[in-house]
Amino acid sequence: MTKVAMTVNGKAVSGEAEGRTLLSTFLREGLGLTGTHVGCDTSQCGACVVHVDGQPVKSCTVFAQDVAGANVKTIEGMANADGSLGVIQQAFQDHHGLQCGFCTPGMVMSSAALLAENPKPTEAEVRHYLDGNICRCTGYHNIVKAVMAASGQDVSALAAE
């Protein structure tokens, strides 16, 4: 076991981890941050997306020790300082961009990365960017709507699927 220290959601944290401990496991089991979901363990579903030094990363594919010293942001860090939902989270709620909610943390984290890169994406750009995130419930239309609404765009013209 090795001591691993990093900053998670703005707080310095540390914990013990074996060399093979995945970042997703370290966050969930070591730090109790269970908002990061693990859906496949093969980097296919995107439910485990977090940001490492500002970049979206599928945390089931990265060892905790490999991000020692990094700045990690999880879904728990997306809320406003007062605990209310952040802009993207609120847009997902307002536009019914979630159903069972299992994929939602990864979708929100990926959406945040997209909006940081491209503040006003087109519908096609949102769909392309979220291609690595699987949702089995919503059919994606409302997720796309939520992301575009979070960017401040009018979503009333988006055709229903």
Side-chain angles (χ1 to χ4, degrees), residues 95-109:
H95 296 279
H96 310 289
L98 59 124
Q99 203 162 339
C100 82
F102 194 82
C103 71
T104 305
M107 288 286 188
V108 168
M109 298 306 292

Side-chain angles (χ1 to χ4, degrees), residues 109-134:
M109 298 306 292
S110 291
S111 299
L114 166 62
L115 295 178
E117 287 178 25
N118 182 356
K120 299 286 184 194
T122 65
E123 179 179 358
E125 289 169 331
V126 173
R127 289 181 182 278
H128 177 74
Y129 198 92
L130 296 179
D131 189 38
N133 293 75
I134 296 174

Side-chain angles (χ1 to χ4, degrees), residues 67-154:
V67 299
N71 185 7
V72 177
K73 189 170 194 175
T74 69
I75 188 69
E76 289 89 348
M78 294 300 289
N80 294 319
D82 66 1
S84 63
L85 295 177
V87 172
I88 298 169
Q89 293 168 311
Q90 189 64 56
F92 267 69
Q93 181 177 343
D94 293 346
H95 296 279
H96 310 289
L98 59 124
Q99 203 162 339
C100 82
F102 194 82
C103 71
T104 305
M107 288 286 188
V108 168
M109 298 306 292
S110 291
S111 299
L114 166 62
L115 295 178
E117 287 178 25
N118 182 356
K120 299 286 184 194
T122 65
E123 179 179 358
E125 289 169 331
V126 173
R127 289 181 182 278
H128 177 74
Y129 198 92
L130 296 179
D131 189 38
N133 293 75
I134 296 174
C135 175
R136 294 183 175 124
C137 299
T138 68
Y140 297 96
H141 180 70
N142 288 341
I143 292 170
V144 172
K145 218 172 162 177
V147 175
M148 293 184 72
S151 75
Q153 298 182 67
D154 179 12

Side-chain angles (χ1 to χ4, degrees), residues 15-103:
E16 297 288 321
E18 293 181 18
R20 63 185 177 158
T21 301
L22 297 172
L23 178 57
S24 56
T25 303
F26 183 76
L27 293 169
R28 291 181 57 79
E29 296 175 16
L31 302 179
L33 297 171
T34 58
T36 300
H37 292 166
V38 179
C40 66
D41 276 330
T42 61
S43 80
Q44 301 299 310
C45 75
C48 68
V49 172
V50 299
H51 296 176
V52 176
D53 292 331
Q55 297 300 308
V57 171
K58 291 181 178 178
S59 63
C60 76
T61 63
V62 177
F63 294 118
Q65 291 181 0
D66 289 344
V67 299
N71 185 7
V72 177
K73 189 170 194 175
T74 69
I75 188 69
E76 289 89 348
M78 294 300 289
N80 294 319
D82 66 1
S84 63
L85 295 177
V87 172
I88 298 169
Q89 293 168 311
Q90 189 64 56
F92 267 69
Q93 181 177 343
D94 293 346
H95 296 279
H96 310 289
L98 59 124
Q99 203 162 339
C100 82
F102 194 82
C103 71

